Amino acid sequence: MYKNKDKGFITILSLLVMAIILISSMFLNYSSNIEYMIINSSKNNIQALYLAEGKILMAINKDQYFDNIILPGAKEFLKYGRIIDDNKRHIILDDEDLIEGDDYSKINLQFYKEEGRTLLKLETHSIYNNIKRRAVAKLTVVNELFEMGLPIISPNLLVDNHRQYEEYMEYLQRSEEHTSELQSPL
């Protein structure tokens, strides 16, 4: 008689243990799916940011964008204090310069003055796997030494900027050497 009672108890106990194991495995499966989605979303978010930054770097480093849009826009801003031509307020990237799936090809240009410095702000967006990211770059347009307004630049006048003066003079010397190498006959 006790054996039949024990059989029922063991059956109920085994069902409870299996239910606990099933619930635990479902929870672990749910947790791993959530972790996967978080990691995948984070990866896509970083990739979208890199794509947006890549667009800005492409605009700065590719001659067709820099020489035809950024440089004329900077000249116009320095000459008139604003950009008159609307075509110099943004860059439209070619389709070949975009990654598949990212259709946002516009980079906005904004020239402005901040604390007496002329700055260029480049702003764009990028979409990667339905995640949209924005990237902004602020660039100095004119070297700080030129914005000081001194007709003659010497190390004595630049107490705070002596290191910058030396770096700039070294840059000019390297540029001059490079130019003379290009001009010398073989």
Side-chain angles (χ1 to χ4, degrees), residues 58 62 64-65 93-100 105:
M58 186 180 308
K62 204 166 184 181
Q64 82 182 59
Y65 303 123
L93 298 175
D94 294 338
D95 289 338
E96 64 193 32
D97 293 332
L98 295 174
I99 301 296
E100 186 178 331
S105 62

Side-chain angles (χ1 to χ4, degrees), residues 8 23 41 49 56 82 84 102 122 165 171 185:
I23 290 171
S41 176
L49 178 63
I56 290 174
R82 62 188 173 96
I84 298 169
D102 185 10
L122 298 170
Y165 170 78
Y171 169 75

Side-chain angles (χ1 to χ4, degrees), residues 28-132:
L28 289 174
N29 187 29
Y30 173 77
S31 295
S32 66
N33 284 338
I34 293 293
E35 289 282 328
Y36 173 77
M37 289 190 306
I38 290 171
I39 290 171
N40 200 29
S41 176
S42 177
K43 181 188 75 153
N44 290 339
N45 192 18
I46 291 169
Q47 187 64 35
L49 178 63
Y50 286 162
L51 287 175
E53 287 178 354
K55 289 178 187 179
I56 290 174
L57 290 172
M58 186 180 308
I60 294 169
N61 293 315
K62 204 166 184 181
D63 292 338
Q64 82 182 59
Y65 303 123
F66 186 81
D67 293 342
N68 297 333
I69 300 169
I70 295 176
L71 200 54
K75 288 178 183 177
E76 192 172 299
F77 181 80
L78 292 172
K79 187 173 183 179
Y80 302 112
R82 62 188 173 96
I83 297 179
I84 298 169
D85 185 2
D86 283 338
N87 293 329
K88 294 177 186 150
R89 293 177 192 236
H90 58 270
I91 298 171
I92 303 296
L93 298 175
D94 294 338
D95 289 338
E96 64 193 32
D97 293 332
L98 295 174
I99 301 296
E100 186 178 331
D102 185 10
D103 298 333
Y104 194 83
S105 62
K106 187 175 181 180
I107 300 174
N108 294 317
L109 279 75
Q110 179 186 2
F111 292 92
Y112 64 98
K113 292 206 178 249
E114 183 178 282
E115 298 177 7
R117 307 288 318 262
T118 304
L119 299 175
L120 165 62
K121 178 179 168 183
L122 298 170
E123 180 179 357
T124 190
H125 295 86
S126 186
I127 300 169
Y128 183 78
N129 286 344
N130 296 325
I131 294 180
K132 186 175 182 180

Side-chain angles (χ1 to χ4, degrees), residues 119-181:
L119 299 175
L120 165 62
K121 178 179 168 183
L122 298 170
E123 180 179 357
T124 190
H125 295 86
S126 186
I127 300 169
Y128 183 78
N129 286 344
N130 296 325
I131 294 180
K132 186 175 182 180
R133 284 299 306 255
R134 176 178 160 244
V136 177
K138 291 184 180 180
L139 310 166
T140 304
V141 175
V142 179
N143 189 307
E144 185 178 347
L145 294 174
F146 291 105
E147 290 182 340
M148 294 179 80
L150 300 173
I152 298 174
I153 298 176
S154 70
N156 299 335
L157 297 173
L158 303 171
V159 177
D160 295 335
N161 297 341
H162 188 68
R163 182 185 58 79
Q164 187 177 9
Y165 170 78
E166 288 177 357
E167 288 174 358
Y168 184 65
M169 290 300 142
E170 289 172 6
Y171 169 75
L172 289 177
Q173 186 175 6
R174 283 192 309 269
S175 296
E176 183 178 309
E177 290 171 359
H178 180 67
T179 304
S180 62
E181 287 175 5

